[in-house]
């Protein structure tokens, strides 16, 4: 995947800046990556090879996704994406159908990191770089929910 | 030479009118759709289905499609509206148009079939559809959205003829082809709990064992 293709899909990255941090891969998606998992594709699609907890509804509505992150990563909803020492935050993007389309994870530097579909992982200073109208089938929409969890003492 | 079939979505008649655009005087059948009113007249949108080029405003409720290279040619050899409506192609068209059509009392779709479509091979059609699918889904994380893309659904609609090309693509890209394979073959060689990478490996082995690779 070329940088041109990423910037074509997310034009605001051109001005806002971004850095590629992995090779492209179809083996994991943003929902796994935000939970530090780079070996699963989280999806309610009922087919072997896709990961979805048995106890959750098979959809990506916000309540389901909050529960997914609570169960899988110990995250809880919070008010904003401001950096807080001792906490790790995740931002959910939500489209006009009220489905969660993307998750970005905050790094200790305060910047955000995202796995872009089957493309690469990137680091991007701003969440708004990935936002759009949320109308088209491949739109991410806008950030509509933040989650956080305490970072375990190492 | 092109053949045009005009189909009302909420059918006031089941008859389709085939018109040779280059020689309208030899139309096989003419059907008057007087109920269409100005809906038909405002149809200006052109969409090269499968090739991925969309031109104009799709908000008028009447659309014009040029299936071009990506449509499985057999579909149109013996065209009639009723089986078309039951096909995955029709569902793809409807899914694509969505609420724009529902907003109109008598929406219509004009399908324009270049005669040359018939000569396209399954491989050429697969390549065009697979390319469109990848371009338009590569940024998505929802596997549901990825496999519901109209181009992907049309590849599934090709049936077993598409399997050698799907396996070739799976081997090359290790992308999200396992849903299409499961839908076409009605098999699932992956095991419960497998990760995506392992499921792909299982499918590639199945493809080898069954002579598709």
């Amino acid at each position: 995947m070329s940088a041109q293709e990423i910037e074509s899909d997310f034009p605001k990255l051109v001005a806002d800046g971004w850095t590629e941090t992995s090779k492209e891969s179809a083996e994991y998606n943003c929902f796994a990556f935000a939970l530090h998992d780079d070996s699963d594709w989280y999806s309610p699609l009922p087919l072997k090879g896709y990961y979805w907890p048995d106890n959750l509804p098979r959809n990506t509505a916000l309540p389901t996704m909050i529960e997914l992150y609570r169960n899988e990563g110990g995250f809880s909803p919070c008010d904003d994406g401001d950096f807080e020492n001792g906490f790790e935050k995740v931002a959910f993007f939500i489209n006009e159908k009220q489905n969660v389309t993307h998750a970005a994870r905050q790094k200790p530097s305060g910047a955000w990191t995202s796995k872009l579909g089957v493309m690469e992982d990137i680091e991007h200073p701003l969440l708004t770089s990935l936002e759009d109208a949320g109308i088209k089938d491949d739109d991410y929409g806008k950030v509509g929910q933040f989650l956080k969890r305490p970072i375990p003492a190492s | 030479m092109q053949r045009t079939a005009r189909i009302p979505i909420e059918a006031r008649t089941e008859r389709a009118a085939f018109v040779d655009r280059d020689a309208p005087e030899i139309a096989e059948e003419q059907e008057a759709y007087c109920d269409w009113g100005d809906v038909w007249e405002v149809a200006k949108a052109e969409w090269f289905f499968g090739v991925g080029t969309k031109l104009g405003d799709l908000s008028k409720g009447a659309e014009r499609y040029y299936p071009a290279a990506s449509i499985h040619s057999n579909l149109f050899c013996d065209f009639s509206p009723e089986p078309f409506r039951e096909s995955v192609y029709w569902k793809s068209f409807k899914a694509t148009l969505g609420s724009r059509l529902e907003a109109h009392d008598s929406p219509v779709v004009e399908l324009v079939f270049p005669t040359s479509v018939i000569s396209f091979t399954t491989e050429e059609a697969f390549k065009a559809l697979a390319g469109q699918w990848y371009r338009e889904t590569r940024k998505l994380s929802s596997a549901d959205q990825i496999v519901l893309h109209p181009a992907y659904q049309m590849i599934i609609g090709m049936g077993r003829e598409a399997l050698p090309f799907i396996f070739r693509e799976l081997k090359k890209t290790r992308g999200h082809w396992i849903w299409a394979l499961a839908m076409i073959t009605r098999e699932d060689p992956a095991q419960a709990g497998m990760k995506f990478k392992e499921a792909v490996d299982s499918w590639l082995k199945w493809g080898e064992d069954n002579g598709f690779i």
Side-chain angles (χ1 to χ4, degrees):
Chain A
M1 184 63 51
S2 71
Q4 277 183 328
E5 286 174 317
I6 289 178
E7 291 180 347
S8 165
D9 287 349
F10 302 98
K12 286 189 270 189
L13 285 173
V14 177
D16 295 345
W18 63 286
T19 311
E20 182 180 310
T21 54
S22 80
K23 293 184 176 178
E24 66 183 271
S25 171
E27 292 174 3
Y28 62 99
N29 63 355
C30 67
F31 301 129
F33 180 69
L35 290 164
H36 297 268
D37 177 354
D38 62 0
S39 64
D40 283 304
W41 191 284
Y42 281 52
S43 171
L45 200 64
L47 185 71
K48 294 164 194 162
Y50 294 103
Y51 176 72
W52 198 253
D54 291 336
N55 62 333
L56 285 185
R58 290 195 171 271
N59 63 59
T60 53
L62 181 59
T64 304
M65 295 302 287
I66 289 174
E67 203 56 29
L68 175 70
Y69 271 60
R70 190 190 309 277
N71 294 348
E72 299 290 320
F75 282 91
S76 301
C78 65
D79 293 335
D80 57 51
D82 295 346
F83 182 76
E84 290 182 54
N85 267 324
F87 287 91
E88 181 174 64
K89 292 191 175 182
V90 163
F92 281 163
F93 290 66
I94 300 173
N95 65 12
E96 70 163 4
K97 294 176 182 171
Q98 299 304 303
N99 286 316
V100 177
T101 58
H102 180 67
R105 168 165 45 89
Q106 194 173 43
K107 300 182 79 171
S109 64
W112 296 87
T113 183
S114 286
K115 170 75 161 70
L116 303 176
V118 299
M119 301 189 286
E120 291 85 346
D121 310 341
I122 67 164
E123 183 173 317
H124 48 107
L126 303 175
L127 288 170
T128 51
S129 304
L130 305 184
E131 286 187 328
D132 49 40
I135 297 170
K136 292 188 297 177
D137 286 343
D138 64 346
D139 275 357
Y140 278 16
K142 300 195 183 305
V143 174
Q145 181 69 57
F146 291 100
L147 308 175
K148 73 175 183 181
R149 68 177 174 185
I151 297 174
S154 54
Chain B
M1 188 171 76
Q2 294 174 323
R3 302 179 80 204
T4 301
R6 295 181 172 185
I7 308 163
I9 288 179
E10 299 300 331
R12 309 214 171 154
T13 169
E14 291 297 319
R15 300 175 66 195
F18 293 96
V19 180
D20 181 338
R21 295 194 133 209
D22 296 328
E25 70 278 8
I26 59 168
E28 295 173 27
E29 181 182 35
Q30 287 285 2
E31 183 68 53
Y33 288 97
C34 56
D35 289 338
W36 288 356
D38 64 354
V39 175
W40 187 255
E41 297 303 315
V42 298
K44 292 175 182 173
E46 293 186 346
W47 186 35
F48 290 77
F49 193 76
V51 176
T53 303
K54 185 161 60 177
L55 303 171
D57 179 8
L58 292 178
S59 65
K60 301 296 186 183
E63 316 290 348
R64 179 174 300 158
Y65 291 100
Y66 291 82
S70 61
I71 300 293
H72 190 211
S73 59
N74 290 342
L75 175 67
F76 304 112
C77 291
D78 189 20
F79 182 86
S80 63
E82 202 52 46
F84 182 72
R85 283 188 189 141
E86 298 303 316
S87 73
V88 66
Y89 302 92
W90 178 245
K91 289 170 187 167
S92 297
F93 280 126
K94 287 185 73 174
T96 302
L97 295 174
S99 58
R100 292 191 189 92
L101 289 176
E102 292 166 10
H104 292 266
D105 290 336
S106 61
V108 292
V109 170
E110 180 184 21
L111 302 172
V112 180
F113 308 132
T115 305
S116 59
V117 166
I118 306 246
S119 66
F120 279 93
T121 65
T122 302
E123 181 174 10
E124 289 167 326
F126 175 83
K127 280 183 180 174
L129 288 169
Q132 181 197 4
W133 169 71
Y134 179 73
R135 284 192 303 276
E136 296 179 6
T137 64
R138 66 190 178 203
K139 64 190 275 196
L140 294 175
S141 290
S142 162
D144 306 53
Q145 278 183 277
I146 290 171
V147 304
L148 283 173
H149 188 279
Y152 192 92
Q153 291 295 311
M154 292 174 76
I155 288 172
I156 291 174
M158 289 177 172
R160 297 183 74 85
E161 275 187 69
L163 288 178
F165 310 116
I166 294 176
F167 275 111
R168 187 172 66 191
E169 198 70 12
L170 180 67
K171 191 172 182 180
K172 179 179 161 191
T173 65
R174 301 186 63 87
H176 289 263
W177 291 105
I178 62 176
W179 179 265
L181 291 171
M183 294 300 103
I184 293 171
T185 64
R186 300 185 183 278
E187 300 276 351
D188 190 354
Q191 303 297 312
M194 276 187 168
K195 294 179 181 293
F196 185 78
K197 177 184 179 185
E198 296 166 327
V200 168
D201 288 338
S202 297
W203 272 107
L204 288 173
K205 182 176 185 311
W206 188 93
E208 286 180 7
D209 293 345
N210 288 274
F212 292 108
I213 298 177

